Amino acid sequence: MYALGDEQALLAKVRYNRLIDIFTGITCYSLQNHLRTSVPGIGQVETDELYVGVDTKGCQYVIPVQAKGGRDALNIVQIEQDMAVCESKFPDLVCRPVAAQFMPDDVIALFAFERIEGEAKILMERHYKLVDADQLTADDLAAYRKRP
């Protein structure tokens, strides 16, 4: 209830509510915030947050997250730089870049990216609205159970 509308608030909401786990289907843990590192051929790169995770088959992942609060727009160059960081620093892990952005009406949009024909492309997009438990009704819960 006290979170602001900036990038740090967005990252906190995503982390606290485990939205990266829900979105990716991977059990994830925040490894580092604001990772600033150097990548050969690119130079200095900053990733807003870096998660590591494991799926039910034991496959391990590195998930760089770019967050945009307020009126900032997502930038595909940052996603491509995140992919380069993963390739350079975590070559044995599967890289699954994610971007998070505040939307109107307190909705959080998450985007997953994949490299297709040499370029970062959006693979998946989901929107999440965080609500207090007392805002969920029995009808809401029944509707969720019916989803495929």
Side-chain angles (χ1 to χ4, degrees):
M1 98 186 214
Y2 299 110
L4 303 175
D6 64 358
E7 176 184 304
Q8 289 304 308
L10 177 56
L11 289 169
K13 285 183 176 189
V14 167
R15 188 180 324 106
Y16 180 80
N17 291 285
R18 301 203 60 129
L19 291 182
I20 298 297
D21 301 58
I22 294 166
F23 179 61
T24 63
I26 301 167
T27 302
C28 301
Y29 300 92
S30 176
L31 181 65
Q32 185 171 345
N33 292 322
H34 293 287
L35 171 66
R36 196 172 269 183
T37 188
S38 182
V39 176
I42 295 177
Q44 190 171 5
V45 174
E46 184 177 330
T47 299
D48 291 334
E49 187 154 12
L50 195 66
Y51 287 79
V52 291
V54 62
D55 67 15
T56 58
K57 296 178 183 177
C59 185
Q60 295 184 0
Y61 298 82
V62 58
I63 301 155
V65 177
Q66 288 293 333
K68 298 298 176 195
R71 296 179 186 203
D72 292 342
L74 294 173
N75 183 336
I76 200 71
V77 172
Q78 290 177 307
I79 301 302
E80 290 173 346
Q81 289 175 344
D82 282 351
M83 290 175 162
V85 167
C86 293
E87 291 165 4
S88 174
K89 306 294 183 194
F90 306 96
D92 295 330
L93 303 181
V94 177
C95 180
R96 291 284 185 255
V98 170
Q101 186 163 21
F102 276 130
M103 304 285 287
D105 299 322
D106 295 323
V107 171
I108 296 172
L110 295 180
F111 304 87
F113 294 85
E114 181 176 73
R115 191 179 308 280
I116 300 172
E117 297 177 5
E119 294 182 17
K121 302 281 185 179
I122 294 176
L123 176 68
M124 177 174 58
E125 176 182 347
R126 299 278 187 273
H127 295 186
Y128 299 90
K129 176 137 177 121
L130 304 176
V131 298
D132 291 328
D134 62 0
Q135 291 181 281
L136 287 173
T137 67
D139 290 339
D140 293 331
L141 296 175
Y144 293 143
R145 282 194 304 272
K146 292 179 184 176
R147 288 184 172 175

